[in-house]
Amino acid sequence: MIGLLNGHVESVDADAALISVGGVGYEVRMPAADLSSLHAGQETRVFTSLNVSQDAVTLYGFLTQASKRMFLQLQKVSGIGPKVALSLLSTLPPDRLARAVADGDAAALAKAPGLGKKGAQKIILELKGSIDLSQIEGSAAPAAAQVDTGSMQVVEGLMSLGWRQQDAEHAVHEVCVEEHIETPLTNQDIPRVLKLALSALDRGR
């Protein structure tokens, strides 16, 4: 079982990062917010979970233990697999996701693509009372060096214009990769990335 990678980020795309460890490249699928914090050339530590199915062997990764714990906990719910669990963590950070479960907020959970209201209600029914909020909320944020406040500002700006958080995060990540804009974003980069991301979102309508 591969539980942790300490290595060099070779590349980042919309769904996964390629991390080189000891000359071996691992393709790691990660939540959108974690991917937006990574850039090629960076050294990083990723907590991982290996999923083996009939069709594929997939490595999922997270910048915090809290995200990994939540990812594994979600899969204890009948009918919830790794893809939906990752979608949930791309929609809500682990602390907000845990709070939504604790508060019975099905509407917040149902925003995740591929879930739906019934799936959200099932998660609440099966996990409410079993999630240690203090453990999740106490370690939900990545290390300060990995938090990209510039990207967060752009995402918040796009959300204020009516775009969904997941779509906004995806657009910001895509623009940074395509235009070779390094993250964390500087104050000078923010207006440019906001304009490019908005154009990308408009084209995708």
Side-chain angles (χ1 to χ4, degrees), residues 70-89 91-92 94 96-131:
M70 179 59 74
F71 177 76
L72 296 174
Q73 190 118 27
L74 286 166
Q75 292 177 75
K76 294 179 181 179
V77 178
S78 58
I80 301 298
K83 289 183 180 179
V84 173
L86 189 68
S87 176
L88 276 159
L89 283 163
T91 304
L92 294 170
R96 287 175 57 192
L97 208 163
R99 179 58 62 186
V101 172
D103 293 343
D105 189 354
L109 299 179
K111 292 178 182 178
L115 183 61
K117 190 172 182 180
K118 287 185 177 180
Q121 291 170 339
K122 181 182 286 188
I123 289 172
I124 291 168
L125 181 65
E126 296 189 26
L127 291 186
K128 192 171 184 178
S130 66
I131 294 178

Side-chain angles (χ1 to χ4, degrees), residues 10-136:
E10 294 292 336
S11 62
V12 183
D13 61 29
D15 302 310
L18 183 63
I19 300 174
S20 176
V21 182
V24 178
Y26 295 86
E27 185 175 270
V28 188
R29 294 193 173 276
M30 302 176 70
D34 287 359
L35 286 171
S36 69
S37 298
L38 299 178
H39 58 83
Q42 174 184 352
E43 297 296 320
T44 190
R45 179 176 67 166
V46 178
F47 300 96
T48 59
S49 174
L50 184 66
N51 180 264
V52 180
S53 66
Q54 291 181 337
D55 303 322
V57 176
T58 308
L59 191 61
Y60 294 91
F62 313 89
L63 293 182
T64 67
Q65 283 275 32
S67 289
K68 179 179 175 179
R69 280 194 292 266
M70 179 59 74
F71 177 76
L72 296 174
Q73 190 118 27
L74 286 166
Q75 292 177 75
K76 294 179 181 179
V77 178
S78 58
I80 301 298
K83 289 183 180 179
V84 173
L86 189 68
S87 176
L88 276 159
L89 283 163
S90 289
T91 304
L92 294 170
D95 55 338
R96 287 175 57 192
L97 208 163
R99 179 58 62 186
V101 172
D103 293 343
D105 189 354
L109 299 179
K111 292 178 182 178
L115 183 61
K117 190 172 182 180
K118 287 185 177 180
Q121 291 170 339
K122 181 182 286 188
I123 289 172
I124 291 168
L125 181 65
E126 296 189 26
L127 291 186
K128 192 171 184 178
S130 66
I131 294 178
D132 185 345
L133 285 174
S134 63
Q135 189 179 44
I136 297 292

